[in-house]
Amino acid sequence: MRVVHSPHEVYALVDFERRNGNRVGLVPTMGALHAGHISLVQQAKLQSDIVATTIFVNPTQFGPKEDFSKYPRTLESDLEKLDSVGCDIVFVPNSEQVYAPEHSTYVEPPKVANRWEGEIRPGHYRGVTTIVLKLFMMVPAQVAFFGRKDYQQVAVIRAMVEDLNLPIQIVTCDTIREPDGLAMSSRNRYLNDSERSRALSLSRALKAANSMVEEGCHNVADIENEMTKILLNAPVDSIDYARIVDGDTLEPLSEVTSPAVAIIAARLGTTRLIDNSILC
Ligand code: PAF
């Protein structure tokens, strides 16, 4: 496994592989790798010849009051995990190599970024689209892998790729869960025991939404009420949203019609968790 710090070096490496006829798969991450990230690398191994993972805690996608400085940084164990699953290239740039001190160019996010995370975390998706485009330029892979746990993020990246005619395929991979249902997230490590057990209400609420739809309920208000009830019973400390939305546009629905997805963001103590489930 090659660990590369320079953007020029990673570009040259990937370019070389492509010239040799290899398909390069990219897994962008912010490190603090868990089984969800590792499953992206495994999926990338299945669908490409060479896998490049990037580790970069991107400052521009964190708000001023968010957890950028305390975001977990676990490079040594990240590298061990990547090596053990056969990752070929790891790109670990430092901040100045990605954002020059005088940088002032950003990617305006697409419309699908406006609601939900976009509303609650102003500037977040501008940071995501900017870094993801920059990573696509620095690591010119043919295919990139993202987790469905960040449902809106994948929708934003797919729209950017289409709107900007970027020559890269996007593959969305399933959310990986703990045996008790908690979606894997680098932020789970912030949870104390009480918060961890109350956090299970997110996956429980999503399961309930799925069951209601399976049993024939199409009334969005009824399903959203049930999800909210489950979250408040846990209780979570606050709910940012627990909604049923159109799976493509992320606009609210009043009737469950395909594609529909249930999305939740809630806080446990100082930790904010998101989760989602495709309903139909
Ligand atoms: O999902 C993430 O970890 C980040 O948002 C990403 C896509 C690596 C961009 O920094």
Side-chain angles (χ1 to χ4, degrees), residues 226-264:
E226 184 59 24
M227 292 200 297
T228 304
K229 202 171 88 192
I230 291 169
L231 294 169
L232 293 178
N233 274 345
V236 297
D237 294 311
S238 63
I239 302 173
D240 284 345
Y241 52 79
R243 302 293 300 270
I244 312 268
V245 300
D246 182 294
D248 291 331
T249 64
L250 273 85
E251 291 297 314
L253 290 174
S254 51
E255 278 268 293
V256 178
T257 47
S258 179
V261 56
I263 55 170
I264 294 179

Coordinates of all heavy atoms in Angstrom, one line a residue, residues 226-264:
E226 N -45.3 8.9 14.0 CA -44.8 7.7 14.7 C -43.3 7.8 14.9 O -42.8 7.4 15.9 CB -45.2 6.5 13.8 CG -44.9 5.1 14.4 CD -45.5 4.8 15.8 OE1 -46.5 5.4 16.1 OE2 -44.9 4.0 16.6
M227 N -42.6 8.2 13.9 CA -41.1 8.3 14.0 C -40.8 9.3 15.1 O -39.9 9.0 16.0 CB -40.5 8.8 12.7 CG -40.6 7.9 11.5 SD -39.4 8.2 10.2 CE -39.9 9.8 9.6
T228 N -41.5 10.5 15.1 CA -41.2 11.5 16.2 C -41.5 10.9 17.5 O -40.7 11.1 18.5 CB -42.1 12.7 15.9 OG1 -41.8 13.2 14.6 CG2 -41.8 13.8 16.9
K229 N -42.6 10.2 17.7 CA -43.0 9.6 19.0 C -41.9 8.7 19.5 O -41.5 8.7 20.6 CB -44.3 8.8 18.8 CG -45.0 8.6 20.1 CD -46.4 8.0 19.8 CE -46.4 6.5 19.8 NZ -47.6 5.9 19.3
I230 N -41.4 7.8 18.6 CA -40.3 6.9 19.0 C -39.0 7.6 19.4 O -38.4 7.3 20.4 CB -40.0 5.9 17.8 CG1 -41.2 5.0 17.6 CG2 -38.7 5.1 18.1 CD1 -41.2 4.1 16.4
L231 N -38.7 8.7 18.7 CA -37.5 9.5 19.1 C -37.7 10.2 20.4 O -36.8 10.2 21.2 CB -37.2 10.5 18.0 CG -36.8 9.9 16.6 CD1 -36.8 11.0 15.5 CD2 -35.4 9.3 16.7
L232 N -38.9 10.7 20.6 CA -39.1 11.5 21.9 C -39.3 10.5 23.1 O -39.0 10.9 24.2 CB -40.4 12.3 21.7 CG -40.3 13.5 20.7 CD1 -41.6 14.3 20.6 CD2 -39.1 14.4 21.1
N233 N -39.7 9.3 22.8 CA -39.8 8.3 23.9 C -38.5 7.9 24.4 O -38.3 7.4 25.5 CB -40.6 7.1 23.5 CG -42.1 7.3 23.6 OD1 -42.5 8.2 24.3 ND2 -42.9 6.5 23.0
A234 N -37.4 7.9 23.5 CA -36.1 7.4 23.9 C -35.5 8.0 25.2 O -35.1 7.2 26.0 CB -35.1 7.5 22.7
P235 N -35.4 9.2 25.4 CA -35.7 10.3 24.5 C -34.4 10.7 23.8 O -33.3 10.7 24.5 CB -36.2 11.4 25.3 CG -35.5 11.3 26.6 CD -35.2 9.8 26.8
V236 N -34.4 11.2 22.6 CA -33.3 12.0 22.0 C -33.3 13.4 22.6 O -34.4 13.8 23.2 CB -33.3 12.0 20.5 CG1 -33.2 10.7 19.9 CG2 -34.5 12.8 20.0
D237 N -32.2 14.1 22.6 CA -32.3 15.4 23.3 C -32.9 16.5 22.4 O -33.5 17.4 22.9 CB -30.8 15.8 23.7 CG -30.4 14.9 24.8 OD1 -31.1 14.7 25.8 OD2 -29.3 14.3 24.7
S238 N -32.8 16.4 21.1 CA -33.6 17.2 20.2 C -33.7 16.5 18.8 O -32.8 15.7 18.4 CB -33.1 18.6 20.1 OG -31.8 18.6 19.5
I239 N -34.7 16.9 18.1 CA -34.9 16.4 16.7 C -34.7 17.5 15.7 O -35.4 18.6 15.8 CB -36.3 15.8 16.5 CG1 -36.5 14.7 17.6 CG2 -36.5 15.3 15.1 CD1 -38.0 14.2 17.6
D240 N -33.8 17.4 14.8 CA -33.6 18.4 13.7 C -34.7 18.2 12.7 O -35.3 19.1 12.2 CB -32.3 18.4 13.1 CG -31.2 19.1 14.1 OD1 -31.7 19.8 15.0 OD2 -30.0 19.0 13.9
Y241 N -34.9 16.9 12.3 CA -36.0 16.6 11.4 C -36.2 15.0 11.4 O -35.3 14.3 11.8 CB -35.7 17.0 9.9 CG -34.4 16.6 9.3 CD1 -34.2 15.3 8.9 CD2 -33.3 17.5 9.2 CE1 -33.0 14.9 8.3 CE2 -32.1 17.2 8.7 CZ -31.9 15.9 8.2 OH -30.7 15.5 7.7
A242 N -37.4 14.6 11.2 CA -37.8 13.2 11.0 C -38.9 13.2 10.0 O -40.0 13.4 10.3 CB -38.3 12.7 12.4
R243 N -38.5 13.1 8.7 CA -39.4 13.4 7.6 C -39.4 12.3 6.6 O -38.4 11.5 6.5 CB -39.0 14.7 7.0 CG -39.0 15.9 7.9 CD -40.4 16.3 8.4 NE -41.3 16.6 7.3 CZ -41.5 17.8 6.8 NH1 -40.8 18.9 7.3 NH2 -42.3 18.0 5.8
I244 N -40.4 12.3 5.7 CA -40.5 11.4 4.6 C -40.3 12.3 3.3 O -41.1 13.3 3.2 CB -41.8 10.7 4.5 CG1 -42.2 10.1 5.8 CG2 -41.8 9.7 3.3 CD1 -41.8 8.7 6.1
V245 N -39.4 12.1 2.5 CA -39.1 13.0 1.4 C -39.0 12.2 0.1 O -38.8 11.0 0.1 CB -37.8 13.8 1.6 CG1 -38.0 14.6 2.9 CG2 -36.6 12.9 1.7
D246 N -39.1 12.9 -1.0 CA -38.9 12.3 -2.3 C -37.4 11.9 -2.4 O -36.5 12.7 -2.2 CB -39.2 13.4 -3.4 CG -39.0 12.9 -4.8 OD1 -37.9 12.5 -5.2 OD2 -40.0 12.8 -5.5
G247 N -37.2 10.6 -2.8 CA -35.8 10.1 -2.8 C -34.9 10.7 -3.9 O -33.7 10.6 -3.8
D248 N -35.5 11.4 -4.9 CA -34.6 12.1 -5.8 C -34.4 13.6 -5.5 O -33.3 14.0 -5.5 CB -35.2 12.0 -7.3 CG -35.2 10.6 -7.8 OD1 -34.3 9.8 -7.4 OD2 -36.1 10.2 -8.6
T249 N -35.5 14.3 -5.3 CA -35.4 15.7 -5.1 C -35.2 16.1 -3.6 O -34.8 17.3 -3.3 CB -36.7 16.4 -5.6 OG1 -37.8 16.0 -4.7 CG2 -37.0 16.1 -7.0
L250 N -35.5 15.2 -2.7 CA -35.5 15.5 -1.3 C -36.5 16.5 -0.8 O -36.4 17.1 0.3 CB -34.1 15.8 -0.7 CG -33.3 14.5 -0.4 CD1 -32.6 13.9 -1.6 CD2 -32.3 14.8 0.7
E251 N -37.5 16.8 -1.7 CA -38.6 17.6 -1.3 C -39.6 16.8 -0.5 O -39.7 15.6 -0.6 CB -39.3 18.2 -2.6 CG -38.5 19.1 -3.4 CD -38.2 20.4 -2.6 OE1 -39.0 21.0 -2.0 OE2 -37.0 20.8 -2.7
P252 N -40.3 17.5 0.5 CA -41.2 16.8 1.4 C -42.3 16.1 0.5 O -42.8 16.7 -0.5 CB -41.8 17.9 2.3 CG -40.9 19.0 2.2 CD -40.2 18.9 0.8
L253 N -42.9 15.0 1.0 CA -44.0 14.3 0.4 C -45.2 14.4 1.3 O -45.0 14.5 2.5 CB -43.7 12.8 0.1 CG -42.6 12.5 -0.9 CD1 -42.3 11.0 -0.9 CD2 -43.1 12.9 -2.3
S254 N -46.4 14.3 0.7 CA -47.5 14.2 1.6 C -48.1 12.8 1.6 O -48.8 12.4 2.5 CB -48.6 15.3 1.3 OG -48.9 15.2 -0.1
E255 N -47.9 12.1 0.5 CA -48.3 10.7 0.3 C -47.0 9.9 0.0 O -46.1 10.4 -0.7 CB -49.1 10.6 -1.0 CG -50.5 10.9 -0.9 CD -51.3 9.7 -0.6 OE1 -51.4 8.8 -1.5 OE2 -51.8 9.6 0.5
V256 N -46.9 8.7 0.5 CA -45.7 7.9 0.2 C -45.8 7.4 -1.2 O -46.7 6.5 -1.5 CB -45.6 6.7 1.2 CG1 -44.4 5.9 0.8 CG2 -45.4 7.2 2.6
T257 N -45.0 8.0 -2.1 CA -45.0 7.5 -3.5 C -43.5 7.3 -3.9 O -42.7 8.1 -3.4 CB -45.6 8.5 -4.5 OG1 -45.0 9.8 -4.2 CG2 -47.1 8.6 -4.4
S258 N -43.2 6.2 -4.6 CA -41.9 5.9 -5.0 C -41.2 7.0 -5.9 O -41.9 7.5 -6.8 CB -41.9 4.6 -5.7 OG -40.6 4.2 -6.0
P259 N -40.0 7.4 -5.7 CA -39.1 6.9 -4.6 C -39.3 7.8 -3.3 O -39.3 9.0 -3.4 CB -37.7 7.2 -5.2 CG -37.9 8.4 -6.1 CD -39.3 8.3 -6.6
A260 N -39.4 7.1 -2.2 CA -39.6 7.8 -0.9 C -38.5 7.3 0.1 O -38.2 6.1 0.1 CB -41.0 7.5 -0.3
V261 N -38.0 8.3 0.8 CA -37.0 7.9 1.8 C -37.3 8.6 3.2 O -37.8 9.8 3.1 CB -35.6 8.2 1.3 CG1 -35.5 9.7 0.9 CG2 -34.5 7.9 2.3
A262 N -37.1 7.9 4.2 CA -37.3 8.5 5.6 C -35.9 9.0 6.0 O -35.0 8.3 6.0 CB -37.9 7.5 6.5
I263 N -35.9 10.3 6.5 CA -34.6 10.9 6.9 C -34.7 11.4 8.3 O -35.8 12.0 8.7 CB -34.1 12.0 5.9 CG1 -35.2 13.1 5.8 CG2 -33.7 11.4 4.6 CD1 -34.7 14.3 5.0
I264 N -33.7 11.2 9.1 CA -33.7 11.7 10.5 C -32.4 12.3 10.8 O -31.3 11.8 10.4 CB -33.9 10.5 11.5 CG1 -35.3 9.8 11.3 CG2 -33.8 10.9 12.9 CD1 -35.6 8.6 12.2

